[in-house]
Amino acid sequence: MAGHFEPLPGGGAAAPLDDVEISILRSLAVQLLELIGPGEEPAGTDDLLASIFNDGPSEPPADPVLARLFPDAYGGPDLVPDDDVRAAAAEFRRYTENDLRSRKRDDALALVRALDALTPGGDGGAVLRLTPDECRQWLGALNDLRLAIGTRLEVTDEDDGGELLRLPDSDPRKPMVMAYLWLGGLQETLVESLMR
């Protein structure tokens, strides 16, 4: 039952992962970190108030994955052509995107750090054990990874995954489809573990 989370007594969750699964998760998280970009230097206590009001970008990202990870407020300029709404969306983005980027970066880093801390077992895998706080970060990172892959695969809300599953093995998208579906299973079992 590799790659599925089970609840831990007292909270948290655990999943056995083999070396390939560990490598795939780590690689995807590192790619997500590269896409999100570097963070700002930590502010000292004197700069804390200034960092809260540090302006972020006011325009949506051009990359479709980043645009999905950092969506436009109020429906976006394509859906709501009103200038006042566009101005409000730009203002909202300016004050929220940096914090959202920081949280997404922290979640992906938590995933990488947890994987790096694993002690390999005798069978070439390891058991990942997460605290409740780590579970929250993993849920965020798994969601972001699925959003990123789903955007690249052009998955829509109406897709049930059936069409993607029927791709021939020769299709270059097939490995990403399998990763997308596997990440969905991980995410689902992690949620179920936390609800028990």
Side-chain angles (χ1 to χ4, degrees):
M1 188 161 121
H4 289 84
F5 283 96
E6 294 289 334
L8 286 173
L17 298 171
D18 64 33
D19 289 341
V20 172
E21 292 169 324
I22 293 167
S23 176
I24 290 169
L25 278 169
R26 190 178 193 293
S27 174
L28 290 172
V30 167
Q31 290 176 55
L32 181 64
L33 284 166
E34 290 170 355
L35 185 64
I36 292 171
E40 297 176 5
E41 291 296 317
T45 54
D46 296 337
D47 299 323
L48 185 58
L49 189 57
S51 71
I52 292 172
F53 295 104
N54 188 15
D55 286 354
S58 59
E59 294 297 318
D63 183 303
V65 171
L66 289 175
R68 183 69 177 102
L69 291 173
F70 306 105
D72 222 356
Y74 314 117
D78 296 336
L79 300 175
V80 184
D82 184 272
D83 287 340
D84 291 336
V85 173
R86 277 199 295 263
E91 187 78 357
F92 182 82
R93 177 178 298 282
R94 196 175 87 180
Y95 290 114
T96 61
E97 186 171 313
N98 284 344
D99 287 340
L100 186 55
R101 277 184 188 268
S102 177
R103 194 198 82 226
K104 289 179 181 299
R105 190 177 301 107
D106 289 348
D107 290 349
L109 280 170
L111 191 149
V112 170
R113 288 179 181 135
L115 293 172
D116 287 349
L118 289 176
T119 305
D123 59 355
V127 176
L128 174 70
R129 289 179 176 76
L130 302 175
T131 66
D133 285 340
E134 290 170 325
C135 287
R136 184 207 56 78
Q137 289 184 294
W138 268 69
L139 281 173
L142 290 171
N143 187 61
D144 290 342
L145 288 171
R146 289 193 76 236
L147 284 173
I149 293 170
T151 301
R152 292 286 189 240
L153 291 171
E154 298 179 352
V155 173
T156 65
D157 291 339
E158 292 79 35
D159 289 335
D160 64 357
E163 183 179 321
L164 292 174
L165 281 173
R166 288 188 289 276
L167 288 175
D169 290 343
S170 60
D171 192 303
R173 298 172 295 170
K174 188 73 173 206
M176 290 313 295
V177 168
M178 300 312 292
Y180 176 78
L181 296 171
W182 174 62
L183 290 169
L186 278 177
Q187 189 177 21
E188 184 179 336
T189 61
L190 183 51
V191 169
E192 289 170 357
S193 296
L194 295 175
M195 293 175 65
R196 291 188 200 168

